[in-house]
Amino acid sequence: MVIYRVDHRLDTVRLRMLTTISFGPDTSSYDYNAPYMKCNSREELIQVTQFKPDTRGWVNMIMHEFFHGFQFLHNDYRQFVAQNNLIYSAMREPLQNLFNSEVWYRDLASLENELLLKANRSTDRKQIDSLIGVFIKTRKERRSRIQVTPGYDFAFIEKTYETMEGCARFIESHFISVYIKDKRLAVIDTAFKFKRNENTQSDVDSLGIITTGDYYYATGYNIVRLLKKLNISFTSILFKQPTATLEDILWQSIGKSESQIK
């Protein structure tokens, strides 16, 4: 990783928390075919949003974007993203637009997430497999009711962004859970809390609840947690095999393909 310091802002946008990469005709662009994080300092974040996270809370957001950079450093995955125009936010907008505007869509997507949460709480493997089966069946029903624009592969887009964002959210949960017990950091940075927060587990769990933000962040995060719970290997597959998704791996965990779920 290379860190650059420049004497001017790259643009006039007051708040940036994202990772960019460009594939357009301008090959001279600094982020051409290479990921760059654009993130405000904690102080600027507070000034713009009035939200006051401690240093660790701010780091969670930074590491989320840092993980996107890690994803794009996989050459085949980077080319997959470019070929399918997945770097453009317009590609994902129909997902959340439906969630916000259609009650039936929101209800079914929320039910899917609840099924994932129940599976994560369960200690009975047969029950977990059953819940996964109901999750996939419910998801198929929701998708079957969507009037898709020609040329827009809804399932492909949803599974891909769910994987991209769900994994990044899982990284956030790790930094919420793991605390650095070094009081010297609290002296250097008064916003750094070296003591474990009593609500740590609650904060971790909150990432899996559909509240604000795009719903597939939560569903993707919960699928990651479920795969980890079941000791199902996925880190050797995701992003190395560009078309692999969390949803597909979840199907395989119960020994069934999409076509076998009735």
Side-chain angles (χ1 to χ4, degrees):
M1 180 182 68
V2 180
I3 298 176
Y4 297 94
R5 179 177 181 178
V6 295
D7 60 1
H8 62 282
R9 280 186 176 270
L10 297 176
D11 55 41
T12 58
V13 178
R14 295 185 67 199
L15 181 64
R16 287 285 199 191
M17 279 291 171
L18 77 167
T19 297
T20 66
I21 184 171
S22 66
F23 304 105
D26 184 8
T27 58
S28 64
S29 176
Y30 68 91
D31 64 348
Y32 178 76
N33 205 35
Y36 275 77
M37 289 172 56
K38 296 179 180 178
C39 300
N40 290 75
S41 67
R42 176 181 173 274
E43 291 75 15
E44 286 185 314
L45 178 71
I46 293 172
Q47 184 178 19
V48 175
T49 67
Q50 304 305 306
F51 173 56
K52 297 182 179 181
D54 61 16
T55 302
R56 184 171 298 279
W58 173 76
V59 167
N60 292 342
M61 292 183 277
I62 297 297
M63 294 310 298
H64 179 111
E65 298 306 328
F66 191 88
F67 190 78
H68 285 320
F70 166 77
Q71 293 168 339
F72 296 144
L73 287 177
H74 292 78
N75 183 62
D76 290 343
Y77 186 73
R78 187 168 66 253
Q79 297 311 312
F80 166 76
V81 168
Q83 291 165 7
N84 291 282
N85 298 316
L86 297 171
I87 199 65
Y88 302 112
S89 59
M91 292 296 289
R92 64 172 77 187
E93 286 176 356
L95 306 177
Q96 192 64 23
N97 287 345
L98 272 172
F99 185 88
N100 292 338
S101 63
E102 301 292 339
V103 174
W104 65 265
Y105 187 98
R106 183 165 59 252
D107 287 347
L108 288 175
S110 297
L111 175 57
E112 291 163 32
N113 198 52
E114 285 301 316
L115 290 164
L116 292 173
L117 290 170
K118 287 181 180 178
N120 269 298
R121 291 192 294 264
S122 177
T123 57
D124 184 320
R125 181 57 198 258
K126 287 185 178 180
Q127 182 185 46
I128 292 172
D129 287 352
S130 176
L131 288 165
I132 293 173
V134 177
F135 160 78
I136 296 172
K137 182 179 179 180
T138 306
R139 175 161 284 195
K140 287 186 68 175
E141 178 186 346
R142 173 171 56 82
R143 287 177 180 162
S144 71
R145 296 174 61 178
I146 299 170
Q147 295 182 350
V148 182
T149 303
Y152 187 87
D153 189 338
F154 193 94
F156 166 78
I157 295 296
E158 184 176 44
K159 291 194 295 183
T160 301
Y161 280 117
E162 183 175 62
T163 300
M164 185 186 296
E165 298 296 353
C167 289
R169 178 162 284 191
F170 182 76
I171 295 300
E172 289 184 57
S173 73
H174 173 78
F175 282 89
I176 291 174
S177 304
V178 179
Y179 266 61
I180 301 172
K181 298 178 181 180
D182 189 341
K183 293 183 178 181
R184 292 173 298 178
L185 293 175
V187 174
I188 298 170
D189 178 3
T190 56
F192 183 88
K193 298 178 181 178
F194 67 90
K195 291 185 178 180
R196 182 179 293 274
N197 190 310
E198 293 179 0
N199 297 321
T200 295
Q201 188 57 50
S202 176
D203 291 339
V204 169
D205 290 340
S206 70
L207 295 175
I209 300 173
I210 296 177
T211 50
T212 58
D214 297 329
Y215 72 90
Y216 48 86
Y217 282 60
T219 55
Y221 169 64
N222 286 324
I223 293 177
V224 175
R225 290 204 292 175
L226 188 51
L227 293 176
K228 291 282 288 184
K229 174 188 178 74
L230 298 175
N231 294 316
I232 295 170
S233 175
F234 61 93
T235 56
S236 62
I237 300 172
L238 293 181
F239 315 119
K240 296 175 184 177
Q241 297 179 21
T243 59
T245 67
L246 291 170
E247 183 181 313
D248 294 335
I249 296 172
L250 191 63
W251 287 337
Q252 296 165 11
S253 75
I254 58 173
K256 293 184 179 181
S257 65
E258 179 183 13
S259 60
Q260 293 174 306
I261 303 294
K262 302 298 184 181

